[in-house]
Amino acid sequence: MDETVAEYIRRTVLKMPRDEIKTMLQKWGFLSEAQLQTLNFHQIKDNISQEVVQLCEENSADIKQAAVLDIIYNHIYQNKRMWSVYQMKKSAEELEYFDITDFKKKFKGRLRSALKNVTITFREYEDNAIWIRVAWGTPYKKPNQYKPSYVVYHSQTPYVFISASVLKSNLPLLCQALIVASNYHDIREMELRSHSLNSLKDIVFKRYSQNFQTDYSKPLQGENVEPENADLRIVQENRSEKERIHRLNREVFGDGPQPKLEFAQYRLETMFKSDPKMDVLDKKEPFRCLVKFSSPHLLESLKSLAPAGMADAPLSPLLTCIPQKARNYFKIREKKGFNPESFVSP
Amino acid sequence: HLATSLPLPSERDHLRPRIDLIVFMIDIKSKYSLKNVEASLAYVDASFFLGKVCFLVTGVGRVNYCSIETNAICKLGEAYGSPVLFCELELEGIRVTTAQRLLRMLQICAGHIPGVSALSFVLLMRNFDDD
């Protein structure tokens, strides 16, 4: 077995938490159940990984199998990576039957014709997701297995989720291969990024609970604003205001859990408006400013702002439009009578 | 009675008892909270400021999250001639002590303590600050 393959497998096993090594090796299926039984999972990971490499040696593992193990790890720990969303466009509305073998062949063919040194691995999952791992090399160097790109494609949709490696120069080639293989004619990057792959899917596939404009003019019967203290000696003076905030919040955010995003970024290219007498940049040139909201769970924290009394309800549409517009990067330009619809993607 | 801002909703006027003490709670972690209090102060009748108003600053335990200068709040207290109390609601001991202090003040303001009026009490508190 190749030295580099052995080292790669060893490092991949070291990444895994000790309690999960056995399950992941089983999912991998490259080592037999009998071989797995011989492994001692109660020793330090260093030793476990050495033993795994030895077993792989017996089975003559090559880079292809090692790559599959890497996909398995990254599928389970997908939230460690940053994912971007891309949308593909068809030129005409033909309903073509998706053939996975054809897709793989075309994808591999396109990449290999441009770059000989690539490792391409596919793995399909039950939710119709096709995971693709690509390790990139150059015409003179073997692929760097430690910086691969991952692509998740749901064949029934025009969306592709890409976790690019640091080597951004390969991105155009990757995009090209995707549209050729899937019979689309164009691909564009959406302004939507997050660590939570499932939340990105929820947003673009519209799987989160959306707000519906219902007639809430009559207060709902028996609606509890919050689990208030049942102490009757405390009188809430602003109960109707609290109910209004709660209702507005429900209308905007819906009832279910929000998709998990870590930040929203607004790039301002608007004019600085100040008292003309102060002579500070007043309307002379755009005031470049970047506003970034970060949170472990941005949308949930926005949802709790008004009920917590930290912001007025309703919240600015700039914040609440994030799931509907499927973007968390915005560019705000000067427009007469500022209109949130005037966003332009770069 | 708990309210998020003043003025109080007029529809409940007939249900409200006499107000003896107004405690303005300012969360030191939120500038919004200070602005809200400053806006609400405009709706308080002048007679309340003779000892029936108090400022309670919460959240002082978390030093890293202070958004408001204590200086600004003390100036507010001076401007309105009312005492400023500091507390940390997340600590049970301090929470209980603060509640006891407020209760004591309320008893005085409601006239339950013979010989001490709200006005004389607030002057007592002010004198301590001034040295």
Side-chain angles (χ1 to χ4, degrees), chain A residues 1-184:
Chain A
M1 185 167 78
D2 195 335
E3 271 275 308
T4 51
V5 175
E7 180 61 12
Y8 186 66
I9 294 180
R10 191 185 75 84
R11 294 227 201 150
T12 311
V13 173
L14 277 178
K15 279 199 289 196
M16 305 175 187
R18 196 164 61 158
D19 309 326
E20 311 210 3
I21 299 181
K22 183 164 188 194
T23 345
M24 292 209 211
L25 291 176
Q26 280 168 334
K27 282 203 172 84
W28 189 30
F30 178 68
L31 300 174
S32 71
E33 194 54 47
Q35 283 175 309
L36 288 179
Q37 296 293 355
T38 68
L39 285 169
N40 174 12
F41 293 101
H42 297 295
Q43 50 185 338
I44 57 170
K45 275 207 294 190
D46 249 341
N47 296 348
I48 301 179
S49 61
Q50 297 285 13
E51 286 184 16
V52 170
V53 168
Q54 252 172 322
L55 290 175
C56 293
E57 182 85 55
E58 286 168 22
N59 294 15
S60 310
D62 66 12
I63 194 60
K64 289 207 193 58
Q65 278 96 15
V68 172
L69 184 62
D70 184 52
I71 289 197
I72 292 174
Y73 172 79
N74 279 285
H75 177 256
I76 296 178
Y77 288 99
Q78 52 192 237
N79 296 342
K80 286 196 170 186
R81 306 190 73 88
M82 176 66 87
W83 298 91
S84 304
V85 190
Y86 289 72
Q87 185 177 24
M88 298 192 283
K89 286 193 177 61
K90 265 203 211 299
S91 41
E93 268 312 316
E94 325 115 34
L95 261 169
E96 279 170 23
Y97 172 64
F98 177 77
D99 180 22
I100 180 87
T101 337
D102 188 50
F103 173 84
K104 289 185 195 177
K105 201 168 71 159
K106 285 197 185 143
F107 184 82
K108 281 200 279 211
R110 190 71 190 82
L111 274 189
R112 291 228 164 91
S113 67
L115 199 58
K116 283 214 178 13
N117 282 325
V118 276
T119 313
I120 306 170
T121 321
F122 298 90
R123 193 167 170 88
E124 290 142 70
Y125 284 91
E126 326 71 44
D127 56 345
N128 273 324
I130 303 166
W131 275 63
I132 314 174
R133 174 188 181 278
V134 183
W136 306 91
T138 69
Y140 312 104
K141 279 205 307 222
K142 289 194 31 182
N144 181 349
Q145 301 298 337
Y146 296 91
K147 296 204 164 102
S149 305
Y150 297 89
V151 176
V152 179
Y153 175 46
H154 284 251
S155 51
Q156 305 307 319
T157 75
Y159 295 104
V160 183
F161 306 89
I162 301 184
S163 175
S165 69
V166 185
L167 314 164
K168 291 237 168 72
S169 52
N170 296 307
L171 210 47
L173 184 54
L174 182 62
C175 291
Q176 232 188 21
L178 279 167
I179 42 183
V180 160
S182 54
N183 292 317
Y184 281 83

Side-chain angles (χ1 to χ4, degrees), chain A residues 229 233-242 309-312, chain B residues 1-5 7-9 11-12 16 27 30 32-33:
Chain A
N229 22 38
R233 293 175 296 179
I234 300 178
V235 177
Q236 295 280 355
E237 289 283 350
N238 305 97
R239 195 180 292 278
S240 52
E241 174 67 10
K242 279 202 159 121
M310 296 208 182
D312 290 325
Chain B
H1 285 233
L2 280 181
T4 53
S5 63
L8 295 175
E11 57 262 16
R12 296 182 55 88
R16 230 173 271 127
D27 184 353
S30 162
Y32 182 77
S33 151

Side-chain angles (χ1 to χ4, degrees), chain B residues 24-30 33 55-62 66 68 73 85-90 98:
Chain B
F24 287 97
M25 295 180 68
I26 302 174
D27 184 353
I28 208 167
K29 306 192 285 300
S30 162
S33 151
F55 295 97
L56 180 67
V57 183
T58 65
V60 299
R62 293 193 182 272
C66 290
I68 310 173
I73 304 179
L85 300 179
F86 293 88
C87 79
E88 174 51 73
L89 291 177
E90 290 183 43
T98 311

Side-chain angles (χ1 to χ4, degrees), chain A residues 178-196:
Chain A
L178 279 167
I179 42 183
V180 160
S182 54
N183 292 317
Y184 281 83
H185 91 284
D186 193 15
I187 183 168
R188 74 167 183 110
E189 182 174 4
M190 293 174 69
E191 295 297 308
L192 184 61
R193 275 163 224 133
S194 173
H195 282 279
S196 169

